[in-house]
Amino acid sequence: MAPPSTGQVLLADDLSALQVLHAVLADTVAAFPGAFGAVGLPATAEAFRSVYPDVLPRFEASRLASDSRSAIARHLAAALAANLVWRDESGARPLQEALAEPADPLPLETHAFDGRSGWQPELVYRGERWEATRLAELGGLLVSRRMITPGAGDALAWVGESLLDAGVLQLTGRKIAVLGGGAEMAPTRLWLASGADVLWLDTQPPPRSWWQKPGMSGRLFWPGGNADLLTKPQAVLATLIEFAGGTPLDLGLYAYAPGQARELRLTASMSALVNALPDELVASVTMLVSPTTPTAMSASDLAAMDARLAARPLWEAALARLGLLGSGGGRVAVGDAAATRTVVAIQGASYQAAQYLGKIMMAESWASPDRSGSVRSQPLRVSANTAAITRTRSLSHPVFAAAFGGAAAFGVETLTPRQSRRVNGLLAVHDWMHPDLPVPGAVRVHGGTEEDELVSPNGEGTDRPPQP
């Protein structure tokens, strides 16, 4: 086979992420004119730049209220895919077309850990260690504190009651491919400790310190060179197929990098790889949705927010009346549908485009039983849960530091990366193995329901967004 061409995944026509987001929304408004009459989408990308934190929640609330909700999601996902190209010395062509070209898989290295397989998923929360056998109790506490939705509490209870054997989770025999295996939010090591065969795909190799971890189990596979999803997507696809060996894969989509629209390009590239895999090789797809992206609010979410608003202390109500907690509140409602109003502009348009188009819309289009206009013949099992507000390394911004410092006073809790990995790793396994198909977005680890905005969404963005 001829050596692969050198190229990279880019946005079509050298557009910026903001321009792509605006163009995709504008195209969708034109395609579904009856659904978005009150959105107020500006005519130009430049005008959109200063108002997208307000427009995007209105757009999602309008989509949720529409009878064409799923069709709109598929349209948005397809429009994003159409704006992704592979550019090499022969020119630019659609990424999905380039992925159909033959490529050699990346040579893999392997390490088999000799510890006894099984992960005991204990968690430290508020100074108390919660053993694996107390997952149902922990879930109930987190629900009572409005840290997680009731669906997340039920999921933790089910894992504890149905999947654990003497407090141990066993994943022996499962094949898990983690795109972005070294991402701070990826539960890679935990799934490996459960005895699974894990394929690590990242620009850096796995840490050799894992070799010295006592009791580690499972088998770890990784490319000897880097597995950059933006420069080697064809080889990554071939590697996934070879690693699968005819066995369905659990695919974890965690790759992340800021700057140069890489958030959007990486997320869309991972989606393109999933779409290029045969149906029989995809057991599940897992991703994490940011808590600062507009998502659907359930009746229990709205009731909890109203209860929190009614019971808030006098000092908080006084600050709200003075306009010191932002304006507009934490939700947008259209009819009986509501979406969170939590966009933070300093995260940048690329981050929001990746989260909203590349994750939420793609997840809904994959999971929908209505396959009209879909690139896949069968709905996928998709775990797309809202992640906790997590103090990751990428949150090194003074605004977020100030917000974290004051959030607790408003009943909003943040988690450490270790806590998030454990909670989200368990919720993902629930979504893989529960008899019922998961509903993307139904499970949320939101950290607390709050009607006021604790971080103002207004102002120009920087290029240092947080994970996931």
Side-chain angles (χ1 to χ4, degrees):
M1 187 177 295
S5 60
T6 56
Q8 60 177 316
V9 178
L10 295 169
L11 299 180
D13 302 322
D14 296 319
L15 295 175
S16 68
L18 177 80
Q19 289 171 321
V20 167
L21 178 59
H22 178 263
V24 169
L25 296 185
D27 178 75
T28 305
V29 169
F32 298 88
F36 299 105
V39 167
L41 180 69
T44 67
E46 189 55 39
F48 180 59
R49 181 185 304 277
S50 61
V51 296
Y52 78 85
D54 294 315
V55 170
L56 202 56
R58 291 201 300 268
F59 185 95
E60 175 60 0
S62 298
R63 185 190 74 88
L64 293 170
S66 171
D67 293 336
S68 302
R69 166 182 170 166
S70 294
I72 294 171
R74 289 192 297 275
H75 187 93
L76 288 162
L80 173 60
N83 278 280
L84 209 64
V85 300
W86 170 256
R87 182 178 295 169
D88 58 17
E89 61 273 10
S90 65
R93 53 196 181 278
L95 176 60
Q96 213 66 50
E97 178 182 315
L99 287 174
E101 300 164 2
D104 290 326
L106 300 168
L108 296 180
E109 299 183 23
T110 307
H111 182 82
F113 295 91
D114 57 8
R116 183 177 178 181
S117 68
W119 168 36
Q120 294 181 309
E122 64 182 16
L123 182 76
V124 175
Y125 174 66
R126 298 183 68 85
E128 182 176 354
R129 185 176 299 277
W130 296 81
E131 304 290 342
T133 53
R134 300 175 64 198
L135 280 180
E137 185 182 354
L138 173 61
L141 174 64
L142 294 176
V143 170
S144 71
R145 294 184 61 82
R146 302 194 182 103
M147 275 285 292
I148 64 177
T149 58
D154 293 342
L156 289 175
W158 185 85
V159 169
E161 295 163 1
S162 302
L163 294 187
L164 301 188
D165 182 6
V168 174
L169 176 66
Q170 292 279 0
L171 296 178
T172 304
R174 293 191 80 93
K175 288 187 175 182
I176 306 172
V178 188
L179 284 68
E184 200 169 1
M185 295 288 280
T188 311
R189 188 168 72 84
L190 306 177
W191 293 334
L192 183 66
S194 301
D197 284 351
V198 176
L199 173 62
W200 167 294
L201 293 168
D202 210 319
T203 56
Q204 300 295 325
R208 293 281 174 166
S209 60
W210 287 8
W211 277 228
Q212 282 71 53
K213 295 286 184 183
M216 281 288 288
S217 63
R219 292 190 300 173
L220 181 62
F221 301 78
W222 71 97
N226 87 31
D228 191 331
L229 302 179
L230 298 180
T231 61
K232 299 178 180 178
Q234 298 94 334
V236 168
L237 176 61
T239 304
L240 289 167
I241 293 172
E242 182 178 70
F243 175 70
T247 301
L249 300 174
D250 295 303
L251 297 160
L253 311 185
Y254 292 93
Y256 166 88
Q260 300 176 323
R262 278 180 294 201
E263 303 96 332
L264 179 57
R265 290 188 291 141
L266 276 170
T267 301
S269 295
M270 290 189 289
S271 297
L273 287 166
V274 173
N275 284 331
L277 285 169
D279 284 342
E280 65 270 17
L281 294 186
V282 182
S284 69
V285 181
T286 298
M287 62 182 75
L288 289 176
V289 175
S290 170
T292 61
T293 296
T295 52
M297 299 188 72
S298 68
S300 63
D301 290 333
L302 295 172
M305 182 176 280
D306 290 339
R308 171 68 177 83
L309 182 64
R312 64 182 176 178
L314 293 176
W315 63 266
E316 184 181 334
L319 291 177
R321 286 193 297 271
L322 293 172
L324 299 178
L325 299 180
S327 60
R331 59 180 153 182
V332 174
V334 176
D336 293 332
T340 57
R341 185 175 179 269
T342 50
V343 176
V344 180
I346 61 172
Q347 293 178 295
S350 177
Y351 183 75
Q352 283 303 329
Q355 293 289 324
Y356 183 67
L357 300 178
K359 291 189 177 183
I360 298 173
M361 295 303 105
M362 188 62 69
E364 186 163 331
S365 67
W366 280 334
S368 172
D370 181 358
R371 308 316 297 153
S372 57
S374 175
V375 298
R376 304 195 68 89
S377 61
Q378 299 292 328
L380 296 180
R381 180 177 284 267
V382 182
S383 176
N385 300 325
T386 299
I389 304 171
T390 305
R391 301 187 294 275
T392 58
R393 289 188 298 269
S394 57
L395 280 170
S396 56
H397 192 286
V399 171
F400 289 112
F404 286 160
F410 295 89
V412 176
E413 299 187 40
T414 58
L415 298 185
T416 66
R418 179 183 176 90
Q419 289 171 319
S420 278
R421 283 193 298 270
R422 288 172 179 256
V423 171
N424 289 309
L426 289 171
L427 293 175
V429 172
H430 164 273
D431 291 347
W432 300 348
M433 304 179 76
H434 194 277
D436 298 331
L437 288 175
V439 177
V443 169
R444 300 170 59 215
V445 186
H446 46 57
T449 50
E450 174 59 51
E451 175 65 23
D452 298 313
E453 300 168 70
L454 300 182
V455 180
S456 171
N458 300 313
E460 291 300 312
T462 69
D463 221 352
R464 294 180 57 82
Q467 290 179 273

